[in-house]
Amino acid sequence: MPSWLPSTLRIALIIAMPFALVLLVVKFLLSSDVFPKWEYNLPETAYTDQYNLFKFPVDYYGFTKEDRLKIALVSIEYLNNNEDISFLAKLTIPQEKVVNTEVGTRMYNDRELKHMEDVKAVVRAANTVMIIAWFIMLISINTLGWGAETKLLLRSGLIVGSIVTAAALVGIVLFAVIGFSTFFVLFHKIFFTGDTWLFNWYDTLIRCFPTKFWFDAFLWIGLGSLLEAAIVGVTAWFWKP
């Protein structure tokens, strides 16, 4: 093995770990109905009570918990399948649940559909980054773990990588908790172009996915990733090569 390779692989492991761990949690949330079922089955509260951890704001325009869950699950399905936007464009809501008569019974208006296309593109990019990050991690772990002389570098890389991941996540979670509105706007400005992510209060995306939904999602991602980092770090700490 070239003399420069072990140190390079250790650095690659440290850099890849935050992306691998965080995006794995994101992938879980997008591949499972656990999170939306948790959210929509919380007791309902006033819409102004957005940050109550144990309640979910009611939709004043008439969507029930069951309506919201159904729309959420089909929206998540679109983000995971290979269908184009017609998958969502053809969907409707009951006439009695319609608020914007200009859109009629369409579940999503044109602006919302464009945003969902953008979200799908971001999800696919995130999946690609996750695969690359895990590939780098596994290559680094397998290569460094092969020789007795490089196992200490592997242990060090895992510990430092978990610390870097935890530190970054603590900072992000604190930012989100203290100033979520600012964090939410910044997030969209980084990952989306233009203002297609801005909607009216009566649009389906806002009715089904209010601020509370995203606040909790970021908490789940942050805490889930911190748990992963803790498991990796503690395991590496007690590992004696």
Side-chain angles (χ1 to χ4, degrees), residues 168-185:
L169 286 168
V170 168
I172 293 172
V173 169
L174 286 176
F175 179 23
V177 170
I178 294 172
F180 186 74
S181 296
T182 301
F183 174 83
F184 194 64
V185 171

PDB file of all heavy atoms in Angstrom, residues 168-185:
ATOM      1  N   ALA A 168     -21.339  19.133  14.019  1.00  0.00           N
ATOM      2  CA  ALA A 168     -22.073  19.815  12.951  1.00  0.00           C
ATOM      3  C   ALA A 168     -23.575  19.725  13.193  1.00  0.00           C
ATOM      4  O   ALA A 168     -24.312  20.708  13.028  1.00  0.00           O
ATOM      5  CB  ALA A 168     -21.710  19.226  11.601  1.00  0.00           C
ATOM      6  N   LEU A 169     -24.029  18.557  13.609  1.00  0.00           N
ATOM      7  CA  LEU A 169     -25.463  18.359  13.830  1.00  0.00           C
ATOM      8  C   LEU A 169     -25.971  19.154  15.019  1.00  0.00           C
ATOM      9  O   LEU A 169     -27.074  19.705  14.981  1.00  0.00           O
ATOM     10  CB  LEU A 169     -25.755  16.867  14.019  1.00  0.00           C
ATOM     11  CG  LEU A 169     -25.697  16.028  12.744  1.00  0.00           C
ATOM     12  CD1 LEU A 169     -25.697  14.547  13.075  1.00  0.00           C
ATOM     13  CD2 LEU A 169     -26.871  16.362  11.836  1.00  0.00           C
ATOM     14  N   VAL A 170     -25.197  19.220  16.079  1.00  0.00           N
ATOM     15  CA  VAL A 170     -25.607  20.010  17.242  1.00  0.00           C
ATOM     16  C   VAL A 170     -25.779  21.469  16.841  1.00  0.00           C
ATOM     17  O   VAL A 170     -26.760  22.126  17.215  1.00  0.00           O
ATOM     18  CB  VAL A 170     -24.579  19.875  18.383  1.00  0.00           C
ATOM     19  CG1 VAL A 170     -24.838  20.920  19.462  1.00  0.00           C
ATOM     20  CG2 VAL A 170     -24.641  18.484  18.989  1.00  0.00           C
ATOM     21  N   GLY A 171     -24.827  21.982  16.048  1.00  0.00           N
ATOM     22  CA  GLY A 171     -24.936  23.361  15.586  1.00  0.00           C
ATOM     23  C   GLY A 171     -26.159  23.587  14.723  1.00  0.00           C
ATOM     24  O   GLY A 171     -26.885  24.577  14.901  1.00  0.00           O
ATOM     25  N   ILE A 172     -26.414  22.672  13.805  1.00  0.00           N
ATOM     26  CA  ILE A 172     -27.563  22.807  12.897  1.00  0.00           C
ATOM     27  C   ILE A 172     -28.875  22.693  13.663  1.00  0.00           C
ATOM     28  O   ILE A 172     -29.818  23.466  13.444  1.00  0.00           O
ATOM     29  CB  ILE A 172     -27.485  21.758  11.775  1.00  0.00           C
ATOM     30  CG1 ILE A 172     -26.291  22.058  10.858  1.00  0.00           C
ATOM     31  CG2 ILE A 172     -28.788  21.734  10.968  1.00  0.00           C
ATOM     32  CD1 ILE A 172     -26.025  20.970   9.833  1.00  0.00           C
ATOM     33  N   VAL A 173     -28.958  21.706  14.570  1.00  0.00           N
ATOM     34  CA  VAL A 173     -30.189  21.511  15.343  1.00  0.00           C
ATOM     35  C   VAL A 173     -30.466  22.728  16.226  1.00  0.00           C
ATOM     36  O   VAL A 173     -31.610  23.192  16.329  1.00  0.00           O
ATOM     37  CB  VAL A 173     -30.103  20.222  16.190  1.00  0.00           C
ATOM     38  CG1 VAL A 173     -31.254  20.161  17.186  1.00  0.00           C
ATOM     39  CG2 VAL A 173     -30.135  18.990  15.291  1.00  0.00           C
ATOM     40  N   LEU A 174     -29.438  23.274  16.857  1.00  0.00           N
ATOM     41  CA  LEU A 174     -29.627  24.465  17.696  1.00  0.00           C
ATOM     42  C   LEU A 174     -30.104  25.644  16.850  1.00  0.00           C
ATOM     43  O   LEU A 174     -30.989  26.402  17.263  1.00  0.00           O
ATOM     44  CB  LEU A 174     -28.324  24.812  18.415  1.00  0.00           C
ATOM     45  CG  LEU A 174     -27.933  23.913  19.585  1.00  0.00           C
ATOM     46  CD1 LEU A 174     -26.580  24.320  20.144  1.00  0.00           C
ATOM     47  CD2 LEU A 174     -28.996  23.955  20.682  1.00  0.00           C
ATOM     48  N   PHE A 175     -29.513  25.810  15.681  1.00  0.00           N
ATOM     49  CA  PHE A 175     -29.935  26.881  14.766  1.00  0.00           C
ATOM     50  C   PHE A 175     -31.397  26.702  14.391  1.00  0.00           C
ATOM     51  O   PHE A 175     -32.182  27.657  14.396  1.00  0.00           O
ATOM     52  CB  PHE A 175     -29.036  26.844  13.527  1.00  0.00           C
ATOM     53  CG  PHE A 175     -29.378  27.894  12.487  1.00  0.00           C
ATOM     54  CD1 PHE A 175     -30.061  29.061  12.810  1.00  0.00           C
ATOM     55  CD2 PHE A 175     -29.007  27.701  11.161  1.00  0.00           C
ATOM     56  CE1 PHE A 175     -30.362  30.017  11.854  1.00  0.00           C
ATOM     57  CE2 PHE A 175     -29.307  28.641  10.182  1.00  0.00           C
ATOM     58  CZ  PHE A 175     -29.991  29.801  10.532  1.00  0.00           C
ATOM     59  N   ALA A 176     -31.774  25.440  14.071  1.00  0.00           N
ATOM     60  CA  ALA A 176     -33.149  25.165  13.661  1.00  0.00           C
ATOM     61  C   ALA A 176     -34.131  25.415  14.804  1.00  0.00           C
ATOM     62  O   ALA A 176     -35.219  25.972  14.605  1.00  0.00           O
ATOM     63  CB  ALA A 176     -33.265  23.730  13.170  1.00  0.00           C
ATOM     64  N   VAL A 177     -33.763  25.002  16.004  1.00  0.00           N
ATOM     65  CA  VAL A 177     -34.663  25.151  17.149  1.00  0.00           C
ATOM     66  C   VAL A 177     -34.817  26.615  17.544  1.00  0.00           C
ATOM     67  O   VAL A 177     -35.921  27.089  17.829  1.00  0.00           O
ATOM     68  CB  VAL A 177     -34.148  24.318  18.343  1.00  0.00           C
ATOM     69  CG1 VAL A 177     -34.924  24.655  19.614  1.00  0.00           C
ATOM     70  CG2 VAL A 177     -34.261  22.833  18.041  1.00  0.00           C
ATOM     71  N   ILE A 178     -33.705  27.349  17.556  1.00  0.00           N
ATOM     72  CA  ILE A 178     -33.731  28.746  18.007  1.00  0.00           C
ATOM     73  C   ILE A 178     -34.381  29.658  16.972  1.00  0.00           C
ATOM     74  O   ILE A 178     -35.146  30.559  17.313  1.00  0.00           O
ATOM     75  CB  ILE A 178     -32.304  29.227  18.327  1.00  0.00           C
ATOM     76  CG1 ILE A 178     -31.763  28.449  19.527  1.00  0.00           C
ATOM     77  CG2 ILE A 178     -32.283  30.729  18.622  1.00  0.00           C
ATOM     78  CD1 ILE A 178     -30.303  28.701  19.807  1.00  0.00           C
ATOM     79  N   GLY A 179     -34.073  29.452  15.708  1.00  0.00           N
ATOM     80  CA  GLY A 179     -34.624  30.313  14.656  1.00  0.00           C
ATOM     81  C   GLY A 179     -35.065  29.510  13.452  1.00  0.00           C
ATOM     82  O   GLY A 179     -34.457  29.604  12.375  1.00  0.00           O
ATOM     83  N   PHE A 180     -36.108  28.715  13.634  1.00  0.00           N
ATOM     84  CA  PHE A 180     -36.488  27.783  12.568  1.00  0.00           C
ATOM     85  C   PHE A 180     -36.944  28.507  11.305  1.00  0.00           C
ATOM     86  O   PHE A 180     -36.659  28.045  10.196  1.00  0.00           O
ATOM     87  CB  PHE A 180     -37.592  26.833  13.034  1.00  0.00           C
ATOM     88  CG  PHE A 180     -37.907  25.771  12.003  1.00  0.00           C
ATOM     89  CD1 PHE A 180     -37.031  24.725  11.794  1.00  0.00           C
ATOM     90  CD2 PHE A 180     -39.061  25.842  11.225  1.00  0.00           C
ATOM     91  CE1 PHE A 180     -37.293  23.757  10.836  1.00  0.00           C
ATOM     92  CE2 PHE A 180     -39.331  24.881  10.274  1.00  0.00           C
ATOM     93  CZ  PHE A 180     -38.452  23.828  10.073  1.00  0.00           C
ATOM     94  N   SER A 181     -37.635  29.601  11.425  1.00  0.00           N
ATOM     95  CA  SER A 181     -38.103  30.324  10.241  1.00  0.00           C
ATOM     96  C   SER A 181     -36.922  30.761   9.374  1.00  0.00           C
ATOM     97  O   SER A 181     -36.936  30.585   8.149  1.00  0.00           O
ATOM     98  CB  SER A 181     -38.931  31.543  10.652  1.00  0.00           C
ATOM     99  OG  SER A 181     -40.103  31.158  11.323  1.00  0.00           O
ATOM    100  N   THR A 182     -35.888  31.297  10.006  1.00  0.00           N
ATOM    101  CA  THR A 182     -34.686  31.706   9.278  1.00  0.00           C
ATOM    102  C   THR A 182     -33.998  30.498   8.668  1.00  0.00           C
ATOM    103  O   THR A 182     -33.565  30.519   7.509  1.00  0.00           O
ATOM    104  CB  THR A 182     -33.710  32.436  10.217  1.00  0.00           C
ATOM    105  OG1 THR A 182     -34.368  33.574  10.771  1.00  0.00           O
ATOM    106  CG2 THR A 182     -32.467  32.886   9.468  1.00  0.00           C
ATOM    107  N   PHE A 183     -33.889  29.424   9.447  1.00  0.00           N
ATOM    108  CA  PHE A 183     -33.272  28.191   8.975  1.00  0.00           C
ATOM    109  C   PHE A 183     -34.026  27.621   7.778  1.00  0.00           C
ATOM    110  O   PHE A 183     -33.426  27.200   6.788  1.00  0.00           O
ATOM    111  CB  PHE A 183     -33.240  27.161  10.114  1.00  0.00           C
ATOM    112  CG  PHE A 183     -32.751  25.807   9.705  1.00  0.00           C
ATOM    113  CD1 PHE A 183     -31.388  25.543   9.632  1.00  0.00           C
ATOM    114  CD2 PHE A 183     -33.648  24.798   9.392  1.00  0.00           C
ATOM    115  CE1 PHE A 183     -30.924  24.279   9.250  1.00  0.00           C
ATOM    116  CE2 PHE A 183     -33.206  23.538   9.017  1.00  0.00           C
ATOM    117  CZ  PHE A 183     -31.840  23.279   8.945  1.00  0.00           C
ATOM    118  N   PHE A 184     -35.358  27.632   7.853  1.00  0.00           N
ATOM    119  CA  PHE A 184     -36.198  27.060   6.802  1.00  0.00           C
ATOM    120  C   PHE A 184     -36.044  27.837   5.498  1.00  0.00           C
ATOM    121  O   PHE A 184     -35.921  27.250   4.420  1.00  0.00           O
ATOM    122  CB  PHE A 184     -37.653  27.081   7.266  1.00  0.00           C
ATOM    123  CG  PHE A 184     -38.575  26.237   6.433  1.00  0.00           C
ATOM    124  CD1 PHE A 184     -38.412  24.871   6.366  1.00  0.00           C
ATOM    125  CD2 PHE A 184     -39.627  26.820   5.726  1.00  0.00           C
ATOM    126  CE1 PHE A 184     -39.276  24.087   5.610  1.00  0.00           C
ATOM    127  CE2 PHE A 184     -40.486  26.054   4.967  1.00  0.00           C
ATOM    128  CZ  PHE A 184     -40.312  24.677   4.908  1.00  0.00           C
ATOM    129  N   VAL A 185     -36.035  29.166   5.597  1.00  0.00           N
ATOM    130  CA  VAL A 185     -35.856  30.001   4.411  1.00  0.00           C
ATOM    131  C   VAL A 185     -34.480  29.783   3.807  1.00  0.00           C
ATOM    132  O   VAL A 185     -34.329  29.636   2.586  1.00  0.00           O
ATOM    133  CB  VAL A 185     -36.064  31.486   4.760  1.00  0.00           C
ATOM    134  CG1 VAL A 185     -35.657  32.381   3.590  1.00  0.00           C
ATOM    135  CG2 VAL A 185     -37.524  31.752   5.135  1.00  0.00           C
TER     136      VAL A 185
END
